[in-house]
Amino acid sequence: MTFTEITPSATIEDARHGGRAKCLQRLIRLDMPVPRTVALSFDAVHRISTGDMPDLDAMLALFGPDPLVSVRPSSEDPDWGGPGAILNIGMNDAVHAKLISTHGEVAANALYLRFIQAYAVHVGRLDPDEFETFSIATDDALRAALDLYEEETESYFPQDPKEQLAEILRSMARAWEGTTARLLRQAKGAPADAGLGLVVQKMALGVGQNTCGSGVIKFVDGRTGHRKIRGRYLCKSQGRDALAEEGDRDVMYLTKDSRGRSIEEVLPENFANLVKFGDLCRTRLREEMEIEFTIDNEELFILDAVRVQRSERANVRIAVSLANDGIISREDAVLRIPPRALSELLHSQFDPTDKRDRFGLGIAASPGAATGKIVFNARAAQAAAAKGDDCILVRSETSPEDIRGMHAARGILTVRGGITSHAAVIARGLGLPCVVGAQDLMIDEKQRKLATRDGRSFTEGDVISIDGSTGEAYAGAVTMLSPELGIAFQTLMEWADDFRDIGVRANADTPPDARNARMFAAEGIGLCRTEHMFIDDDRLLAMREMVFADHADDRRAALDRLLPMQRADFTELFEIMQGLPVCIRLFDPPLHEFLPHGREGLRELAEALDLPLRDVERRVAGLREFNPMLGMRGVRLGITVPEIYDMQARAIFEATVEASKRGDPVVPEVMIPLVSAKREVEIVKARVDAVAAEVRIETGADFTYRLGVMVETPRAALRAGEIAQHAAFLSFGTNDLTQMTYGLSRDDAGRFMGEYVSQGVYEEDPFHTLDTDGVGELLQIGAARGRDVDRDLTLSICGEHGGNPESIRFCRDAGFDYVSCSPFRVPVARLAAAHLALEDYVRKDLATD
């Protein structure tokens, strides 16, 4: 016998028979009235696909002399899908005649017609449109359906229940084995050899008189997670008809309702049992379940129970509620929430029920959704914000000049760029939805138009919507769902922090960033990019004066204007972080980034500096480099133009003294970027130490600080042992390290990266998921060589990979102390770290047993 009747003691396993079969056994063990059911294992279904049938005579004998059964799929994971259920197998002319006498002609016709339609479409592979025309179950419609089947197949509709069941089982098995189905479930994360089980269940008809029917009931709102009875019941229906049926024909409410009769009032005993079964599912199966049921002549049958479909915000509330009620452990609650799912709680999302008109697709660079009027430059974005208008900043690509416009916008859309491009990195730091690399879009800045390749056109002021979680852009406004950071979220994150064993800091450049970092319980700032502090108009002009200065004294004069501003910035950061560590990266980008690009901007600069336009143009041209990201930037600027780092070091130490007077002692971390040689660290460290000594003497205050290196060149990783002699910490900047290791521009890689991944050149975009083989080996080498010199050397990563769960796994296994990521990714990192610690604990526990 190649099937198993599902009984309380039968050997039914998820990994052999699928989740539905195992769930039905659990319901039976809880004494729920489940109709007789048999299960076919994955192996049996595979053999059916090759023509090897089980003993169908023995199977059908379990269901009586005139068997009427349903067949439903049972995969290991319900999200992997499977063929649709088929009801009323066994219906034929003889059974139809008997049902007319017991249930009436309308009910009998409905059962037979439904089965003919399902059999014709799923087994006969006939055109569903032709058979769906028979919507009213009259005797004429039934005969017409049988005639149409005969005409299309040149054979009579099968009358033998055994033949019917055999063909349906074969059809469902082969559908699962087909190429299209295999690719679809692999896209959902199923292994290539995932199996399918099938369950054959006696029909509970639900088409009798009066209140006979079918319905579904759940005890929680799938959108919010709040406890509430929801569902639908439809008289004279089967299966999940109640959910698919439109209109209010023969509908009964579940609970008392002023609009009409309800099961609670008309069938109180059935209702009480449904509530009891729902509680049993919650307490014994430890899950909120949606129960499918049939009531036939006031007798209740439970056909199936599945996990309630839910939003991520509901999932968090449900998991925390189950743990608070003692039904599951806190560890289980934490493990039930996928880390990446937190993005739905942290950002606004589009209402999935709202209609959308997509006009563009790019790379999902920063999660969340936004709606606003199109603007094409930073000034327009600021003007829109000043008027109270929401806007979407649309650019070919962004640069530091766009920072203020990015702050003013609700979302960002760029034609070029990748996952670590300027727009993507800044948007994630700000918590702004961002779509980059939408290559099918074209911008005409003069005409202020956005065009698509299929001829659509949008002008400045038109309303669009973008989804930074999917990379899609839509015409018009889409209904929004607000973020959800309620008590359940906070509770879950507190539990996660109890379990994780690697630190999580935030990349934060400004006071608002720092406040977000505190809001998301970051353990400090792991990367403060100081160049973002120079973008405001008053600072930008001083910065440009410094760039144009010919002598060190002139540069110092310009930087003296910036010193109090930097000091105020750092003081505020230290006060917001309240004694938590703050790692400040010294100035990194090439100087040309602070100069205007267009002729109008150059003219304005010449006027501000009181210089001839030609002199300004000549100086800007002189600063241009063939490859500026590999040129005069980072520590190279600190050595050749040391006045910049001197000013920043002084600002940091003076802010340290000031902030320590008003709050917890501050121990700043000063980080040198783009290092490739030990001597670079020695030179900068000597100057920073000298500035620290000056500030101690001038203020009469003592303080400590830690100096470290940002490892973002392959050579720095390889020579980490030498560099660590002069550093208290090494923080791996994986954005640049990936770029240099691969020889890829992170701003341009998006143009071809999709093709590379699809053809298997790279498993994933290395700017999105840390390359643990190549780049990862450099991290391991650097970490090992650094720790060989100094066992207490602090190790971290501060690139955008820091918020990626897979990258956190790598860092944790490599013995890193913390990861740092954008503030809005901090909760994701905290939860991912907790998952890793708990999974490790479970593995060790199993190994001990």
Side-chain angles (χ1 to χ4, degrees), residues 519-580:
M519 178 175 69
F520 293 128
E523 295 169 302
I525 293 176
L527 173 62
C528 172
R529 292 161 289 208
T530 54
E531 57 270 13
H532 294 156
M533 299 174 172
F534 297 121
I535 302 301
D536 288 345
D537 286 336
D538 53 346
R539 304 181 184 203
L540 190 57
L541 181 58
M543 193 68 185
R544 287 170 172 174
E545 286 179 0
M546 187 277 296
V547 172
F548 273 77
D550 292 319
H551 304 289
D553 288 342
D554 294 333
R555 284 193 291 270
R556 287 193 193 95
L559 290 167
D560 283 345
R561 290 173 53 196
L562 291 171
L563 174 62
M565 303 175 193
Q566 281 267 275
R567 182 172 59 237
D569 290 333
F570 296 141
T571 301
E572 188 171 4
L573 281 182
F574 294 150
E575 289 176 345
I576 291 170
M577 298 313 293
Q578 298 175 13
L580 293 174

Side-chain angles (χ1 to χ4, degrees), residues 122-321:
H122 296 288
V123 178
R125 304 295 172 186
L126 303 180
D127 185 354
D129 291 339
E130 293 193 38
F131 282 87
E132 286 174 3
T133 58
F134 307 114
S135 57
I136 301 176
T138 63
D139 190 61
D140 288 342
L142 180 61
R143 293 303 144 199
L146 289 168
D147 291 344
L148 179 59
Y149 181 89
E150 181 180 343
E151 179 184 336
E152 293 288 334
T153 62
E154 298 183 355
S155 63
Y156 291 113
F157 189 80
Q159 297 293 303
D160 181 358
K162 179 180 175 181
E163 178 186 351
Q164 294 173 359
L165 182 58
E167 291 302 318
I168 285 168
L169 293 176
R170 183 183 291 112
S171 172
M172 295 175 83
R174 288 179 175 172
W176 179 263
E177 301 275 351
T179 301
T180 301
R182 187 171 64 254
L183 291 174
L184 283 173
R185 64 177 176 268
Q186 280 183 257
K188 297 176 181 178
D193 59 350
L196 175 72
L198 294 172
V199 294
V200 182
Q201 186 179 77
K202 183 176 182 179
M203 286 296 302
L205 295 180
V207 293
Q209 302 300 313
N210 300 320
T211 56
C212 291
S214 66
V216 293
I217 186 171
K218 54 187 175 181
F219 303 88
V220 68
D221 188 322
R223 289 184 63 183
T224 67
H226 291 298
R227 295 281 292 166
K228 185 178 183 180
I229 292 179
R230 301 180 71 86
R232 207 160 185 263
Y233 183 81
L234 186 66
C235 296
K236 302 175 187 60
S237 70
Q238 293 183 301
R240 302 179 74 83
D241 287 350
L243 294 182
E245 193 77 19
E246 295 184 359
D248 294 328
R249 183 180 62 83
D250 292 329
V251 166
M252 284 181 68
Y253 298 98
L254 299 178
T255 57
K256 295 177 182 178
D257 196 296
S258 60
R259 292 171 293 177
R261 59 182 184 162
S262 67
I263 293 178
E264 183 178 11
E265 293 171 301
V266 178
L267 301 168
E269 185 176 345
N270 293 149
F271 180 80
N273 282 329
L274 285 171
V275 172
K276 179 181 75 174
F277 296 151
D279 287 340
L280 278 173
C281 284
R282 186 172 191 266
T283 56
R284 300 290 293 280
L285 303 187
R286 305 187 314 143
E287 185 53 280
E288 291 287 0
M289 306 290 281
E290 180 179 285
I291 297 173
E292 182 180 334
F293 66 96
T294 291
I295 298 176
D296 197 28
N297 294 321
E298 299 190 10
E299 185 177 2
L300 176 65
F301 296 94
I302 303 300
L303 308 183
D304 197 11
V306 297
R307 179 179 179 272
V308 169
Q309 289 293 312
R310 63 198 66 171
S311 68
E312 297 302 343
R313 59 191 68 198
N315 195 27
V316 169
R317 182 171 279 115
I318 290 169
V320 170
S321 174

Side-chain angles (χ1 to χ4, degrees), residues 350 368-371 392 411-413 433-435 464-468 472-474:
F350 289 141
T371 291
I392 305 294
I412 301 159
L413 171 64
C434 179
V435 175
I464 62 171
S465 301
I466 62 168
D467 191 335
E472 293 169 303
Y474 304 100

Side-chain angles (χ1 to χ4, degrees), residues 777-797:
E777 187 173 1
L778 284 172
L779 264 66
Q780 289 173 323
I781 290 170
R785 292 180 180 178
R787 285 254 169 95
D788 282 346
V789 171
D790 180 359
R791 289 180 55 189
D792 297 324
L793 183 71
T794 300
L795 298 173
S796 67
I797 67 170

